[in-house]
Amino acid sequence: MLYGRSAQEIRNHMSALIDCLVIVGGTTVLALAGVLVVRKRASRQVLEASHEVGGYLLAIIGTLYAILVGLIVVNAESKVDTASEKAVIEANRLTNIYHVSRSFEPTTRRKISESLYSYATIAVNQDWEKVDSGEEKEGTVAPYRQLWKDVVGYAPRTDCERECYAVLLQDLEELSDARKYRMVAAKSQLSPILWAVLIAGGIMIVLFTYFFFVENLISQLLMTACVVIFLS
């Protein structure tokens, strides 16, 4: 089982690496081809005449692009941090529910323990690893509903059970809130509009580098390649 999971993780990492190399390599080749075309069709005088204006405009676009990327990164990091906190809360509440349920009668205690085990196993092996990557759908629905059914269907008999039952319900509510946030966070993605703005901004920055003339063509190609690789 452990070997299978490790092999799957390696395949996922390799696939992501290949996609990254294809995207970066393809965009770099296209950008360098554009430099060669511009240098072939435009004279040195034409390119040098646009240095001053092109430099100002490139600085403005580059600054706006950097601000946009920074805001997106900060927002993404904030969501990741919050999702991690909710995952910790979800795990802690599962533990609390297990310990509090020990005060109930054996049959109900066993049912709750089975639902908790099923929920935790599916959450770790499927939800936290495969749902985010789109491999499988969220699988804790059934044990989550069964857990609520087991808890709500139980009627406390003693004062001790009533107190523990109230604590268990509160933990179960916090578990539900953490689970809902995790499910929403797993499906949240960058909007197509933002993707379009990011791609368009990167293309504009690369295009502006075509309006500058460097005496050594190899140097200009290397500088353009560095810009494209960084943006990719």
Side-chain angles (χ1 to χ4, degrees):
M1 181 67 179
L2 179 60
Y3 174 78
R5 289 179 57 185
S6 300
Q8 182 64 36
E9 291 177 358
I10 293 175
R11 285 194 293 269
N12 292 337
H13 291 320
M14 290 299 297
S15 177
L17 178 60
I18 293 174
D19 293 340
C20 179
L21 293 176
V22 170
I23 294 174
V24 174
T27 53
T28 303
V29 171
L30 291 176
L32 296 181
V35 173
L36 296 176
V37 172
V38 172
R39 287 291 292 267
K40 182 178 181 180
R41 294 182 176 273
S43 63
R44 175 174 181 173
Q45 291 76 17
V46 173
L47 295 176
E48 289 182 343
S50 61
H51 280 189
E52 184 175 0
V53 177
Y56 290 134
L57 294 178
L58 179 59
I60 294 173
I61 294 177
T63 301
L64 295 176
Y65 190 81
I67 294 174
L68 176 61
V69 172
L71 292 175
I72 292 175
V73 171
V74 170
N75 183 51
E77 287 293 332
S78 176
K79 289 183 178 180
V80 170
D81 292 340
T82 305
S84 299
E85 294 176 0
K86 294 297 183 180
V88 173
I89 293 175
E90 188 177 6
N92 291 337
R93 294 303 172 267
L94 288 175
T95 304
N96 293 348
I97 293 172
Y98 172 79
H99 288 295
V100 174
S101 66
R102 306 301 294 173
S103 63
F104 298 163
E105 54 93 14
T107 303
T108 302
R109 184 170 62 224
R110 186 182 66 255
K111 291 180 179 180
I112 294 177
S113 298
E114 292 175 353
S115 298
L116 289 174
Y117 178 80
S118 178
Y119 183 97
T121 302
I122 296 176
V124 173
N125 295 334
Q126 179 173 329
D127 289 0
W128 291 356
E129 293 186 0
K130 299 181 179 181
V131 173
D132 292 347
S133 60
E135 296 179 20
E136 295 186 18
K137 295 182 179 180
E138 205 272 342
T140 55
V141 176
Y144 170 75
R145 292 177 178 175
Q146 184 61 42
L147 179 60
W148 268 105
K149 182 179 179 180
D150 295 336
V151 173
V152 175
Y154 180 71
R157 297 171 298 178
T158 64
D159 292 338
C160 178
E161 287 188 356
R162 293 188 185 93
E163 293 179 1
C164 293
Y165 188 78
V167 174
L168 190 146
L169 284 178
Q170 182 178 357
D171 288 334
L172 191 55
E173 289 177 0
E174 294 179 2
L175 170 68
S176 301
D177 293 338
R179 176 178 177 272
K180 290 175 184 177
Y181 187 92
R182 174 174 59 80
M183 293 175 61
V184 173
K187 298 178 182 179
S188 63
Q189 298 178 353
L190 197 63
S191 67
I193 296 177
L194 287 178
W195 271 116
V197 172
L198 288 174
I199 294 174
I203 293 175
M204 291 176 64
I205 291 175
V206 175
L207 290 177
F208 265 100
T209 63
Y210 294 172
F211 294 98
F212 296 93
F213 182 87
V214 179
E215 187 69 30
N216 190 327
L217 178 59
I218 301 299
S219 298
Q220 185 170 0
L221 290 175
L222 289 175
M223 288 187 288
T224 303
C226 290
V227 173
V228 174
I229 292 174
F230 180 78
L231 291 176
S232 300

